[in-house]
Amino acid sequence: MKQYPPALKQLKAPIKKKAIEIGNAMLDDGYEEKDAIPIAISQAKSWYEDTPKEDVDQFYKHGQMKPSKNREKQSSPTLNERNQLVKKRDDGWAVQAEGAQKPSHVYKTKKEAVQRAKDIAENKGTDVTFQ
């Protein structure tokens, strides 16, 4: 919470924390920072508006915020040009760039995953595919 892009400075702390988490996941999935930051901020604001206050408080106090590790090894700028893939997993529905090693998001429902994939694809100028 101490090192983050200037664009996050004016956000409420829970939104900032969620945006950092989303942004790190996107960077790990191959997004460029200039693309990931505005998407992460937008998604974090939506999450904050749609999530009950007690859940927001719980996330802020105890939520996972994983810093991006070995960004150069895991990220691939070519993933920015790839379609978003929605696929069924044992723990829900995953959204990831085609060819990515791991999903950027996992949702309980297919509907949530498809909506997230559409948002990402729209921002990247790509399409959504299913597996």
Side-chain angles (χ1 to χ4, degrees):
M1 288 290 288
K2 294 182 180 180
Q3 291 184 336
Y4 49 82
L8 302 178
K9 185 177 183 176
Q10 300 301 322
L11 298 176
K12 292 180 180 180
I15 299 173
K16 185 185 307 178
K17 184 174 182 178
K18 189 66 169 178
I20 292 168
E21 181 180 78
I22 293 168
N24 282 340
M26 293 177 72
L27 292 171
D28 286 343
D29 202 27
Y31 282 82
E32 293 181 23
E33 188 172 332
K34 69 178 179 63
D35 298 327
I37 292 171
I39 295 169
I41 291 171
S42 174
Q43 291 299 313
K45 286 179 178 178
S46 294
W47 165 83
Y48 184 78
E49 292 171 5
D50 298 338
T51 303
K53 182 178 179 348
E54 58 272 4
D55 292 346
V56 170
D57 292 343
Q58 182 72 12
F59 168 78
Y60 182 64
K61 290 178 185 173
H62 307 290
Q64 194 74 326
M65 223 176 63
K66 299 177 183 176
S68 183
K69 297 176 187 172
N70 301 324
R71 210 173 277 161
E72 287 77 27
K73 291 182 181 178
Q74 292 179 356
S75 296
S76 172
T78 61
L79 293 178
N80 280 338
E81 300 166 4
R82 301 222 178 133
N83 291 334
Q84 289 300 299
L85 175 65
V86 175
K87 66 180 186 176
K88 178 73 174 135
R89 293 173 28 140
D90 291 339
D91 59 344
W93 290 86
V95 177
Q96 67 188 68
E98 288 181 339
Q101 293 179 1
K102 62 181 186 174
S104 57
H105 300 83
V106 178
Y107 294 93
K108 291 180 181 178
T109 68
K110 182 177 181 180
K111 182 179 178 180
E112 292 172 307
V114 169
Q115 184 57 54
R116 178 67 178 134
K118 285 180 180 180
D119 291 343
I120 294 170
E122 182 179 330
N123 284 317
K124 289 174 36 176
T126 60
D127 294 315
V128 176
T129 59
F130 299 90
Q131 183 178 28

